[in-house]
Amino acid sequence: MGKKTAFRLGRQLLRAVVILLLVCFVSFSLTVISPIDPLQTNIGQAALGSMSPEQIEKLEQYWGMNTPAPERFLEWLKGIVKGDLGVSLAYRQPVTDVIFEKLSNSFLLLVFSWLISAAAGVLLGMIAGAYRRRLPDKIIKTGCMVLSSTPSFWVALVILLVFSVWLKWFPIGFSIPIGVIAEDVRMAERIQHAVLPAAALSLTGVASITMHTREKMIEVMNSDYILYARAKGMGMGKILFSHGLRNVLLPAVTLQFASVSELIGGSVLVEQVFSYPGLGKAAVDAGIGGDVPLLLGITLLTSVFVIGGNLAAEILYGLIDPRLRKKEEVSKT
Amino acid sequence: MKGIRENMEENENKNQAPLLEVKHLSLSFSQYDRRLKRRTLPVIRDLSLTVKKGEIVAVVGASGSGKSLLAHAVFGILPYNARMEGEIFFQGTCLEEAFLKKIRGTKMALVPQGISWLDPLKKTGWQIRNGKNKKEDRERCRELLKRFGLDEKTAEKYPFELSGGMAKRVLLASALFENPSLVIADEPTPGLHPQAALAVMEEFRKMADEGRGILVITHDLELAVQTADRILVFYAGETIEEARASDFFSEEKLRHPYTKDLYRAMPAHGFLAENAGVQPYVLKREKNGCLYQGYCEKRCEKCLGEIPYRKSKGGYVRCIFGEEEERNYGTGSERFDISLS
């Protein structure tokens, strides 16, 4: 760890903080200009009508409707600096607790679908690239075209329809069985509930990884070093594994880490379809319900994920491609 | 007469079959033109050559004449749209797929053009050893690096860390790893300064002296004359002459008008390049007749007909003026003995 590395890290960190600040500001501004009236959506027109003006004022106070926006924003920022994300208005619990609970539901889902879409995408892309213009390529390519031009919520709906409603293989929603106490839920049941949403999520991500890997694979297969490997008598399997895989991995890693945001975005829609009580659904509910602290908390967390993803990709480049690693070493000294 | 010749060839197969024998090799590509019509591009036509133990044979031709594809054809790595005719023999056995797969990389090795033939993400040591990692493999790798004047640490480097000259030597080491009896080098010298290029060629000489057969495909006539035993002049997809390297020391010993032009174009002989650089594009070539007819001074009506590839002055020539001499060469089996004289 030289001075330069520390300097670089510091700069990266500073950049991350600036980005986070901007994200906070923009999303807060969006909630301010949003036409949603938190009282009407959370309590309902009828209930509001039967309340006394004092009660309504109390509620308005609680939802922070009378405080000017800049003041609220600064107040919230002050909390953040102290590590306090505030209290969720709808759940009446600290935002951190709510997020933690929702995240633990979503985490399984996100990690699964992220890994599946990466592995399947690289594998399918390599096959398609190696068998370019032949049957496997045609099938995979068509599949990807169809998938990438289909909205993820629709894919989720179709999956739900086929596997839950018609075939009845999987439950139609939620993360745990209905009518069972949370403590009694078995892991197998949790997984069973996560399979369909995870499948829907990974399906939407797999197409782009496959197509990019395919493109790179074609380039690799046409390269001189593959010809040379063949001239040296290397078998196709060994060529694909030892020369193909690593060279193909770079675009896949870039894409997969950069698509963390898409994954979270996709989870919002997919969780909605499957009534899966995860982070995505919580974000939607917070947005619609005007639960500003929770919404901002979730936004902040996902931004951290995305920034972290990009950073991880950058570190992995060096591990995969020695050219990048050595260049850095040279510039460091 | 024919019977005797066949007999002798058979004997030769038994006693000392040439390492590599290419017989009437033709290569063409199918392609789609602008109107999406399929067309065929002939790249190599009727190429025959032999490489024996202990000799360097050079195929010399201008860039873009398709000579690299000769090496690709021998190693079975032609692109999917290539069509090959003719036969290739390795030590008397026809190189069909199963046999080829058995011997490529082990009994015959390719020295490719340059650094792009190395995987950018693999260390050079791994690539020289071709992924093998036993103790004796690493020992052999060290040995080879030393032989080609490379530091042991080179094995730990990635291709992008090598200079052009180092990369060439890594490719040479890589070729010798399995101790092949035939080495085919595709343009081993471009990008090197003259001294380094000569040093590379001298490595081939050493390999030949160890009893290997070497086929060098190059555009550098001068280097070939300096180091090879026999030279095949490749022009617009055809071999137009096969000569001893020593024939290039005097113009009279050469056979084809184009080769004579090449001779005059060499710096040592006055740089008189008139037609030495020209060659007709594949699609504009005449279907029949001499490909050089457009530039030749001696051109006559006969040049439009079939041009035979025949013996001349102890070598071969594809020209109607190439007089067939009997002299003391006798029967066709002498074809492989040119280097002796």
PDB file of all heavy atoms in Angstrom, chain B residues 111-114 164-165 168 171-172 185-204 216-224 227:
ATOM      1  N   VAL B 111       5.332 -22.389 -36.070  1.00  0.00           N
ATOM      2  CA  VAL B 111       5.826 -21.140 -35.486  1.00  0.00           C
ATOM      3  C   VAL B 111       4.997 -20.032 -36.101  1.00  0.00           C
ATOM      4  O   VAL B 111       5.185 -19.677 -37.248  1.00  0.00           O
ATOM      5  CB  VAL B 111       7.320 -20.920 -35.785  1.00  0.00           C
ATOM      6  CG1 VAL B 111       7.786 -19.608 -35.192  1.00  0.00           C
ATOM      7  CG2 VAL B 111       8.147 -22.066 -35.262  1.00  0.00           C
ATOM      8  N   PRO B 112       4.042 -19.500 -35.342  1.00  0.00           N
ATOM      9  CA  PRO B 112       3.125 -18.528 -35.937  1.00  0.00           C
ATOM     10  C   PRO B 112       3.774 -17.157 -36.114  1.00  0.00           C
ATOM     11  O   PRO B 112       4.915 -16.932 -35.712  1.00  0.00           O
ATOM     12  CB  PRO B 112       1.987 -18.474 -34.934  1.00  0.00           C
ATOM     13  CG  PRO B 112       2.587 -18.884 -33.654  1.00  0.00           C
ATOM     14  CD  PRO B 112       3.708 -19.810 -33.961  1.00  0.00           C
ATOM     15  N   GLN B 113       2.973 -16.255 -36.719  1.00  0.00           N
ATOM     16  CA  GLN B 113       3.533 -14.969 -37.135  1.00  0.00           C
ATOM     17  C   GLN B 113       4.002 -14.089 -35.997  1.00  0.00           C
ATOM     18  O   GLN B 113       5.051 -13.492 -36.063  1.00  0.00           O
ATOM     19  CB  GLN B 113       2.503 -14.216 -37.954  1.00  0.00           C
ATOM     20  CG  GLN B 113       2.437 -14.702 -39.367  1.00  0.00           C
ATOM     21  CD  GLN B 113       1.621 -13.799 -40.240  1.00  0.00           C
ATOM     22  OE1 GLN B 113       1.419 -12.636 -39.935  1.00  0.00           O
ATOM     23  NE2 GLN B 113       1.141 -14.315 -41.337  1.00  0.00           N
ATOM     24  N   GLY B 114       3.187 -13.967 -34.963  1.00  0.00           N
ATOM     25  CA  GLY B 114       3.606 -12.991 -33.960  1.00  0.00           C
ATOM     26  C   GLY B 114       2.868 -13.115 -32.665  1.00  0.00           C
ATOM     27  O   GLY B 114       2.220 -14.105 -32.360  1.00  0.00           O
ATOM     28  N   GLY B 164       8.973  -7.509 -29.271  1.00  0.00           N
ATOM     29  CA  GLY B 164       8.747  -8.278 -30.495  1.00  0.00           C
ATOM     30  C   GLY B 164       9.739  -9.422 -30.652  1.00  0.00           C
ATOM     31  O   GLY B 164       9.360 -10.549 -30.967  1.00  0.00           O
ATOM     32  N   GLY B 165      11.006  -9.116 -30.396  1.00  0.00           N
ATOM     33  CA  GLY B 165      12.029 -10.144 -30.541  1.00  0.00           C
ATOM     34  C   GLY B 165      11.866 -11.260 -29.527  1.00  0.00           C
ATOM     35  O   GLY B 165      12.003 -12.442 -29.840  1.00  0.00           O
ATOM     36  N   LYS B 168       9.050 -13.556 -30.511  1.00  0.00           N
ATOM     37  CA  LYS B 168       9.488 -14.492 -31.568  1.00  0.00           C
ATOM     38  C   LYS B 168      10.195 -15.683 -30.954  1.00  0.00           C
ATOM     39  O   LYS B 168       9.960 -16.832 -31.320  1.00  0.00           O
ATOM     40  CB  LYS B 168      10.441 -13.770 -32.532  1.00  0.00           C
ATOM     41  CG  LYS B 168       9.712 -12.943 -33.567  1.00  0.00           C
ATOM     42  CD  LYS B 168       9.296 -13.791 -34.749  1.00  0.00           C
ATOM     43  CE  LYS B 168       7.951 -13.347 -35.289  1.00  0.00           C
ATOM     44  NZ  LYS B 168       7.955 -12.005 -35.853  1.00  0.00           N
ATOM     45  N   LEU B 171       7.924 -18.006 -29.205  1.00  0.00           N
ATOM     46  CA  LEU B 171       7.206 -18.864 -30.152  1.00  0.00           C
ATOM     47  C   LEU B 171       8.103 -20.000 -30.651  1.00  0.00           C
ATOM     48  O   LEU B 171       7.637 -21.121 -30.875  1.00  0.00           O
ATOM     49  CB  LEU B 171       6.692 -18.033 -31.326  1.00  0.00           C
ATOM     50  CG  LEU B 171       5.585 -17.019 -30.971  1.00  0.00           C
ATOM     51  CD1 LEU B 171       5.284 -16.111 -32.150  1.00  0.00           C
ATOM     52  CD2 LEU B 171       4.323 -17.744 -30.535  1.00  0.00           C
ATOM     53  N   LEU B 172       9.378 -19.705 -30.822  1.00  0.00           N
ATOM     54  CA  LEU B 172      10.319 -20.753 -31.236  1.00  0.00           C
ATOM     55  C   LEU B 172      10.436 -21.812 -30.147  1.00  0.00           C
ATOM     56  O   LEU B 172      10.375 -23.020 -30.415  1.00  0.00           O
ATOM     57  CB  LEU B 172      11.706 -20.146 -31.517  1.00  0.00           C
ATOM     58  CG  LEU B 172      11.839 -19.285 -32.774  1.00  0.00           C
ATOM     59  CD1 LEU B 172      13.230 -18.671 -32.839  1.00  0.00           C
ATOM     60  CD2 LEU B 172      11.578 -20.115 -34.016  1.00  0.00           C
ATOM     61  N   ALA B 185       7.330 -22.564 -40.156  1.00  0.00           N
ATOM     62  CA  ALA B 185       7.322 -21.200 -39.647  1.00  0.00           C
ATOM     63  C   ALA B 185       6.617 -20.288 -40.632  1.00  0.00           C
ATOM     64  O   ALA B 185       6.931 -20.277 -41.821  1.00  0.00           O
ATOM     65  CB  ALA B 185       8.743 -20.719 -39.417  1.00  0.00           C
ATOM     66  N   ASP B 186       5.638 -19.550 -40.124  1.00  0.00           N
ATOM     67  CA  ASP B 186       4.873 -18.643 -40.966  1.00  0.00           C
ATOM     68  C   ASP B 186       5.365 -17.222 -40.717  1.00  0.00           C
ATOM     69  O   ASP B 186       5.130 -16.670 -39.645  1.00  0.00           O
ATOM     70  CB  ASP B 186       3.392 -18.789 -40.615  1.00  0.00           C
ATOM     71  CG  ASP B 186       2.522 -17.933 -41.514  1.00  0.00           C
ATOM     72  OD1 ASP B 186       3.041 -17.441 -42.534  1.00  0.00           O
ATOM     73  OD2 ASP B 186       1.338 -17.768 -41.185  1.00  0.00           O
ATOM     74  N   GLU B 187       6.043 -16.647 -41.682  1.00  0.00           N
ATOM     75  CA  GLU B 187       6.573 -15.283 -41.554  1.00  0.00           C
ATOM     76  C   GLU B 187       7.291 -15.060 -40.218  1.00  0.00           C
ATOM     77  O   GLU B 187       6.821 -14.301 -39.376  1.00  0.00           O
ATOM     78  CB  GLU B 187       5.431 -14.260 -41.687  1.00  0.00           C
ATOM     79  CG  GLU B 187       4.792 -14.177 -43.047  1.00  0.00           C
ATOM     80  CD  GLU B 187       5.631 -13.427 -44.077  1.00  0.00           C
ATOM     81  OE1 GLU B 187       6.812 -13.107 -43.794  1.00  0.00           O
ATOM     82  OE2 GLU B 187       5.110 -13.171 -45.165  1.00  0.00           O
ATOM     83  N   PRO B 188       8.398 -15.698 -40.019  1.00  0.00           N
ATOM     84  CA  PRO B 188       9.040 -15.573 -38.701  1.00  0.00           C
ATOM     85  C   PRO B 188       9.820 -14.277 -38.499  1.00  0.00           C
ATOM     86  O   PRO B 188      10.244 -14.005 -37.392  1.00  0.00           O
ATOM     87  CB  PRO B 188       9.991 -16.775 -38.662  1.00  0.00           C
ATOM     88  CG  PRO B 188      10.282 -17.071 -40.084  1.00  0.00           C
ATOM     89  CD  PRO B 188       9.131 -16.619 -40.898  1.00  0.00           C
ATOM     90  N   THR B 189       9.996 -13.467 -39.540  1.00  0.00           N
ATOM     91  CA  THR B 189      10.929 -12.351 -39.378  1.00  0.00           C
ATOM     92  C   THR B 189      10.376 -10.930 -39.438  1.00  0.00           C
ATOM     93  O   THR B 189      11.081 -10.014 -39.034  1.00  0.00           O
ATOM     94  CB  THR B 189      12.066 -12.450 -40.422  1.00  0.00           C
ATOM     95  OG1 THR B 189      11.491 -12.561 -41.719  1.00  0.00           O
ATOM     96  CG2 THR B 189      12.941 -13.636 -40.145  1.00  0.00           C
ATOM     97  N   PRO B 190       9.177 -10.674 -39.924  1.00  0.00           N
ATOM     98  CA  PRO B 190       8.786  -9.264 -40.015  1.00  0.00           C
ATOM     99  C   PRO B 190       8.792  -8.575 -38.655  1.00  0.00           C
ATOM    100  O   PRO B 190       8.545  -9.208 -37.637  1.00  0.00           O
ATOM    101  CB  PRO B 190       7.360  -9.299 -40.572  1.00  0.00           C
ATOM    102  CG  PRO B 190       7.043 -10.691 -40.843  1.00  0.00           C
ATOM    103  CD  PRO B 190       8.133 -11.561 -40.406  1.00  0.00           C
ATOM    104  N   GLY B 191       9.075  -7.320 -38.658  1.00  0.00           N
ATOM    105  CA  GLY B 191       9.067  -6.562 -37.408  1.00  0.00           C
ATOM    106  C   GLY B 191      10.382  -6.668 -36.663  1.00  0.00           C
ATOM    107  O   GLY B 191      10.539  -6.080 -35.601  1.00  0.00           O
ATOM    108  N   LEU B 192      11.317  -7.438 -37.176  1.00  0.00           N
ATOM    109  CA  LEU B 192      12.608  -7.553 -36.511  1.00  0.00           C
ATOM    110  C   LEU B 192      13.650  -6.783 -37.325  1.00  0.00           C
ATOM    111  O   LEU B 192      13.562  -6.716 -38.547  1.00  0.00           O
ATOM    112  CB  LEU B 192      13.036  -9.014 -36.434  1.00  0.00           C
ATOM    113  CG  LEU B 192      12.123  -9.944 -35.646  1.00  0.00           C
ATOM    114  CD1 LEU B 192      12.682 -11.354 -35.675  1.00  0.00           C
ATOM    115  CD2 LEU B 192      11.971  -9.475 -34.212  1.00  0.00           C
ATOM    116  N   HIS B 193      14.618  -6.222 -36.628  1.00  0.00           N
ATOM    117  CA  HIS B 193      15.662  -5.559 -37.405  1.00  0.00           C
ATOM    118  C   HIS B 193      16.542  -6.632 -38.033  1.00  0.00           C
ATOM    119  O   HIS B 193      16.568  -7.775 -37.576  1.00  0.00           O
ATOM    120  CB  HIS B 193      16.444  -4.569 -36.544  1.00  0.00           C
ATOM    121  CG  HIS B 193      17.121  -5.159 -35.366  1.00  0.00           C
ATOM    122  ND1 HIS B 193      18.349  -5.759 -35.448  1.00  0.00           N
ATOM    123  CD2 HIS B 193      16.724  -5.267 -34.082  1.00  0.00           C
ATOM    124  CE1 HIS B 193      18.687  -6.195 -34.255  1.00  0.00           C
ATOM    125  NE2 HIS B 193      17.715  -5.918 -33.409  1.00  0.00           N
ATOM    126  N   PRO B 194      17.258  -6.297 -39.128  1.00  0.00           N
ATOM    127  CA  PRO B 194      17.909  -7.318 -39.951  1.00  0.00           C
ATOM    128  C   PRO B 194      18.748  -8.320 -39.155  1.00  0.00           C
ATOM    129  O   PRO B 194      18.702  -9.518 -39.408  1.00  0.00           O
ATOM    130  CB  PRO B 194      18.790  -6.500 -40.892  1.00  0.00           C
ATOM    131  CG  PRO B 194      18.120  -5.180 -40.975  1.00  0.00           C
ATOM    132  CD  PRO B 194      17.450  -4.951 -39.668  1.00  0.00           C
ATOM    133  N   GLN B 195      19.459  -7.804 -38.159  1.00  0.00           N
ATOM    134  CA  GLN B 195      20.310  -8.706 -37.397  1.00  0.00           C
ATOM    135  C   GLN B 195      19.497  -9.738 -36.623  1.00  0.00           C
ATOM    136  O   GLN B 195      19.816 -10.919 -36.613  1.00  0.00           O
ATOM    137  CB  GLN B 195      21.143  -7.893 -36.415  1.00  0.00           C
ATOM    138  CG  GLN B 195      22.615  -7.966 -36.730  1.00  0.00           C
ATOM    139  CD  GLN B 195      23.379  -6.979 -35.861  1.00  0.00           C
ATOM    140  OE1 GLN B 195      22.871  -5.903 -35.536  1.00  0.00           O
ATOM    141  NE2 GLN B 195      24.572  -7.344 -35.493  1.00  0.00           N
ATOM    142  N   ALA B 196      18.418  -9.243 -35.985  1.00  0.00           N
ATOM    143  CA  ALA B 196      17.566 -10.144 -35.212  1.00  0.00           C
ATOM    144  C   ALA B 196      16.900 -11.156 -36.139  1.00  0.00           C
ATOM    145  O   ALA B 196      16.744 -12.329 -35.792  1.00  0.00           O
ATOM    146  CB  ALA B 196      16.522  -9.351 -34.455  1.00  0.00           C
ATOM    147  N   ALA B 197      16.501 -10.692 -37.317  1.00  0.00           N
ATOM    148  CA  ALA B 197      15.862 -11.583 -38.277  1.00  0.00           C
ATOM    149  C   ALA B 197      16.828 -12.690 -38.685  1.00  0.00           C
ATOM    150  O   ALA B 197      16.470 -13.868 -38.752  1.00  0.00           O
ATOM    151  CB  ALA B 197      15.411 -10.793 -39.503  1.00  0.00           C
ATOM    152  N   LEU B 198      18.074 -12.300 -38.930  1.00  0.00           N
ATOM    153  CA  LEU B 198      19.080 -13.287 -39.308  1.00  0.00           C
ATOM    154  C   LEU B 198      19.310 -14.276 -38.162  1.00  0.00           C
ATOM    155  O   LEU B 198      19.449 -15.482 -38.380  1.00  0.00           O
ATOM    156  CB  LEU B 198      20.393 -12.580 -39.675  1.00  0.00           C
ATOM    157  CG  LEU B 198      21.412 -13.458 -40.385  1.00  0.00           C
ATOM    158  CD1 LEU B 198      20.880 -13.906 -41.738  1.00  0.00           C
ATOM    159  CD2 LEU B 198      22.740 -12.725 -40.557  1.00  0.00           C
ATOM    160  N   ALA B 199      19.299 -13.740 -36.931  1.00  0.00           N
ATOM    161  CA  ALA B 199      19.493 -14.611 -35.764  1.00  0.00           C
ATOM    162  C   ALA B 199      18.379 -15.652 -35.693  1.00  0.00           C
ATOM    163  O   ALA B 199      18.630 -16.830 -35.413  1.00  0.00           O
ATOM    164  CB  ALA B 199      19.524 -13.778 -34.491  1.00  0.00           C
ATOM    165  N   VAL B 200      17.138 -15.219 -35.981  1.00  0.00           N
ATOM    166  CA  VAL B 200      16.022 -16.163 -35.967  1.00  0.00           C
ATOM    167  C   VAL B 200      16.233 -17.237 -37.032  1.00  0.00           C
ATOM    168  O   VAL B 200      16.058 -18.435 -36.793  1.00  0.00           O
ATOM    169  CB  VAL B 200      14.685 -15.420 -36.193  1.00  0.00           C
ATOM    170  CG1 VAL B 200      13.573 -16.402 -36.500  1.00  0.00           C
ATOM    171  CG2 VAL B 200      14.323 -14.600 -34.968  1.00  0.00           C
ATOM    172  N   MET B 201      16.643 -16.776 -38.221  1.00  0.00           N
ATOM    173  CA  MET B 201      16.863 -17.747 -39.290  1.00  0.00           C
ATOM    174  C   MET B 201      17.980 -18.720 -38.937  1.00  0.00           C
ATOM    175  O   MET B 201      17.945 -19.894 -39.292  1.00  0.00           O
ATOM    176  CB  MET B 201      17.194 -17.020 -40.600  1.00  0.00           C
ATOM    177  CG  MET B 201      16.029 -16.252 -41.209  1.00  0.00           C
ATOM    178  SD  MET B 201      14.540 -17.234 -41.461  1.00  0.00           S
ATOM    179  CE  MET B 201      15.001 -18.147 -42.928  1.00  0.00           C
ATOM    180  N   GLU B 202      18.980 -18.215 -38.222  1.00  0.00           N
ATOM    181  CA  GLU B 202      20.061 -19.117 -37.814  1.00  0.00           C
ATOM    182  C   GLU B 202      19.571 -20.171 -36.824  1.00  0.00           C
ATOM    183  O   GLU B 202      20.075 -21.295 -36.798  1.00  0.00           O
ATOM    184  CB  GLU B 202      21.226 -18.309 -37.237  1.00  0.00           C
ATOM    185  CG  GLU B 202      22.206 -17.939 -38.341  1.00  0.00           C
ATOM    186  CD  GLU B 202      23.095 -16.772 -37.974  1.00  0.00           C
ATOM    187  OE1 GLU B 202      23.106 -16.385 -36.787  1.00  0.00           O
ATOM    188  OE2 GLU B 202      23.759 -16.251 -38.876  1.00  0.00           O
ATOM    189  N   GLU B 203      18.564 -19.777 -36.016  1.00  0.00           N
ATOM    190  CA  GLU B 203      17.958 -20.767 -35.125  1.00  0.00           C
ATOM    191  C   GLU B 203      17.336 -21.900 -35.938  1.00  0.00           C
ATOM    192  O   GLU B 203      17.407 -23.070 -35.560  1.00  0.00           O
ATOM    193  CB  GLU B 203      16.903 -20.124 -34.221  1.00  0.00           C
ATOM    194  CG  GLU B 203      17.449 -19.163 -33.171  1.00  0.00           C
ATOM    195  CD  GLU B 203      18.317 -19.845 -32.132  1.00  0.00           C
ATOM    196  OE1 GLU B 203      18.321 -21.089 -32.066  1.00  0.00           O
ATOM    197  OE2 GLU B 203      19.022 -19.113 -31.404  1.00  0.00           O
ATOM    198  N   PHE B 204      16.724 -21.522 -37.049  1.00  0.00           N
ATOM    199  CA  PHE B 204      16.124 -22.560 -37.904  1.00  0.00           C
ATOM    200  C   PHE B 204      17.217 -23.457 -38.486  1.00  0.00           C
ATOM    201  O   PHE B 204      17.049 -24.664 -38.619  1.00  0.00           O
ATOM    202  CB  PHE B 204      15.298 -21.927 -39.018  1.00  0.00           C
ATOM    203  CG  PHE B 204      13.993 -21.370 -38.534  1.00  0.00           C
ATOM    204  CD1 PHE B 204      13.687 -20.028 -38.685  1.00  0.00           C
ATOM    205  CD2 PHE B 204      13.067 -22.191 -37.908  1.00  0.00           C
ATOM    206  CE1 PHE B 204      12.496 -19.520 -38.219  1.00  0.00           C
ATOM    207  CE2 PHE B 204      11.871 -21.689 -37.442  1.00  0.00           C
ATOM    208  CZ  PHE B 204      11.585 -20.355 -37.598  1.00  0.00           C
ATOM    209  N   VAL B 216       9.912 -22.719 -44.137  1.00  0.00           N
ATOM    210  CA  VAL B 216       9.757 -21.321 -43.761  1.00  0.00           C
ATOM    211  C   VAL B 216       8.948 -20.610 -44.832  1.00  0.00           C
ATOM    212  O   VAL B 216       9.282 -20.665 -46.011  1.00  0.00           O
ATOM    213  CB  VAL B 216      11.128 -20.632 -43.604  1.00  0.00           C
ATOM    214  CG1 VAL B 216      10.948 -19.162 -43.289  1.00  0.00           C
ATOM    215  CG2 VAL B 216      11.936 -21.299 -42.514  1.00  0.00           C
ATOM    216  N   ILE B 217       7.882 -19.978 -44.392  1.00  0.00           N
ATOM    217  CA  ILE B 217       7.062 -19.214 -45.324  1.00  0.00           C
ATOM    218  C   ILE B 217       7.393 -17.748 -45.098  1.00  0.00           C
ATOM    219  O   ILE B 217       7.230 -17.242 -43.990  1.00  0.00           O
ATOM    220  CB  ILE B 217       5.573 -19.499 -45.072  1.00  0.00           C
ATOM    221  CG1 ILE B 217       5.290 -20.957 -45.367  1.00  0.00           C
ATOM    222  CG2 ILE B 217       4.706 -18.588 -45.905  1.00  0.00           C
ATOM    223  CD1 ILE B 217       3.992 -21.450 -44.825  1.00  0.00           C
ATOM    224  N   THR B 218       7.870 -17.073 -46.103  1.00  0.00           N
ATOM    225  CA  THR B 218       8.368 -15.722 -45.870  1.00  0.00           C
ATOM    226  C   THR B 218       8.211 -14.852 -47.107  1.00  0.00           C
ATOM    227  O   THR B 218       7.989 -15.344 -48.208  1.00  0.00           O
ATOM    228  CB  THR B 218       9.856 -15.759 -45.449  1.00  0.00           C
ATOM    229  OG1 THR B 218      10.318 -14.441 -45.239  1.00  0.00           O
ATOM    230  CG2 THR B 218      10.712 -16.421 -46.510  1.00  0.00           C
ATOM    231  N   HIS B 219       8.317 -13.546 -46.892  1.00  0.00           N
ATOM    232  CA  HIS B 219       8.330 -12.645 -48.044  1.00  0.00           C
ATOM    233  C   HIS B 219       9.739 -12.107 -48.254  1.00  0.00           C
ATOM    234  O   HIS B 219       9.986 -11.351 -49.174  1.00  0.00           O
ATOM    235  CB  HIS B 219       7.360 -11.488 -47.802  1.00  0.00           C
ATOM    236  CG  HIS B 219       7.836 -10.568 -46.728  1.00  0.00           C
ATOM    237  ND1 HIS B 219       7.615 -10.820 -45.398  1.00  0.00           N
ATOM    238  CD2 HIS B 219       8.555  -9.441 -46.781  1.00  0.00           C
ATOM    239  CE1 HIS B 219       8.172  -9.880 -44.680  1.00  0.00           C
ATOM    240  NE2 HIS B 219       8.760  -9.026 -45.481  1.00  0.00           N
ATOM    241  N   ASP B 220      10.661 -12.524 -47.363  1.00  0.00           N
ATOM    242  CA  ASP B 220      11.989 -11.946 -47.398  1.00  0.00           C
ATOM    243  C   ASP B 220      12.933 -12.838 -48.195  1.00  0.00           C
ATOM    244  O   ASP B 220      13.513 -13.784 -47.673  1.00  0.00           O
ATOM    245  CB  ASP B 220      12.490 -11.782 -45.959  1.00  0.00           C
ATOM    246  CG  ASP B 220      13.696 -10.865 -45.899  1.00  0.00           C
ATOM    247  OD1 ASP B 220      14.455 -10.833 -46.884  1.00  0.00           O
ATOM    248  OD2 ASP B 220      13.872 -10.186 -44.864  1.00  0.00           O
ATOM    249  N   LEU B 221      13.071 -12.537 -49.479  1.00  0.00           N
ATOM    250  CA  LEU B 221      13.869 -13.368 -50.364  1.00  0.00           C
ATOM    251  C   LEU B 221      15.335 -13.388 -49.943  1.00  0.00           C
ATOM    252  O   LEU B 221      15.973 -14.438 -49.919  1.00  0.00           O
ATOM    253  CB  LEU B 221      13.739 -12.858 -51.804  1.00  0.00           C
ATOM    254  CG  LEU B 221      14.521 -13.640 -52.853  1.00  0.00           C
ATOM    255  CD1 LEU B 221      14.044 -15.067 -52.916  1.00  0.00           C
ATOM    256  CD2 LEU B 221      14.404 -12.987 -54.215  1.00  0.00           C
ATOM    257  N   GLU B 222      15.836 -12.216 -49.584  1.00  0.00           N
ATOM    258  CA  GLU B 222      17.253 -12.139 -49.236  1.00  0.00           C
ATOM    259  C   GLU B 222      17.610 -13.073 -48.085  1.00  0.00           C
ATOM    260  O   GLU B 222      18.577 -13.822 -48.147  1.00  0.00           O
ATOM    261  CB  GLU B 222      17.575 -10.705 -48.809  1.00  0.00           C
ATOM    262  CG  GLU B 222      18.166  -9.886 -49.916  1.00  0.00           C
ATOM    263  CD  GLU B 222      18.794  -8.662 -49.315  1.00  0.00           C
ATOM    264  OE1 GLU B 222      18.008  -7.831 -48.809  1.00  0.00           O
ATOM    265  OE2 GLU B 222      20.014  -8.533 -49.337  1.00  0.00           O
ATOM    266  N   LEU B 223      16.791 -12.998 -47.016  1.00  0.00           N
ATOM    267  CA  LEU B 223      17.034 -13.866 -45.864  1.00  0.00           C
ATOM    268  C   LEU B 223      16.951 -15.334 -46.265  1.00  0.00           C
ATOM    269  O   LEU B 223      17.748 -16.156 -45.837  1.00  0.00           O
ATOM    270  CB  LEU B 223      15.997 -13.590 -44.785  1.00  0.00           C
ATOM    271  CG  LEU B 223      16.399 -12.675 -43.651  1.00  0.00           C
ATOM    272  CD1 LEU B 223      15.263 -12.610 -42.654  1.00  0.00           C
ATOM    273  CD2 LEU B 223      17.667 -13.173 -42.973  1.00  0.00           C
ATOM    274  N   ALA B 224      15.959 -15.639 -47.093  1.00  0.00           N
ATOM    275  CA  ALA B 224      15.772 -17.020 -47.519  1.00  0.00           C
ATOM    276  C   ALA B 224      16.999 -17.496 -48.289  1.00  0.00           C
ATOM    277  O   ALA B 224      17.489 -18.603 -48.079  1.00  0.00           O
ATOM    278  CB  ALA B 224      14.519 -17.126 -48.378  1.00  0.00           C
ATOM    279  N   THR B 227      19.812 -18.333 -45.905  1.00  0.00           N
ATOM    280  CA  THR B 227      19.744 -19.405 -44.910  1.00  0.00           C
ATOM    281  C   THR B 227      19.100 -20.703 -45.401  1.00  0.00           C
ATOM    282  O   THR B 227      19.376 -21.756 -44.832  1.00  0.00           O
ATOM    283  CB  THR B 227      18.969 -18.933 -43.668  1.00  0.00           C
ATOM    284  OG1 THR B 227      17.801 -18.255 -44.106  1.00  0.00           O
ATOM    285  CG2 THR B 227      19.816 -18.006 -42.829  1.00  0.00           C
TER     286      THR B 227
END
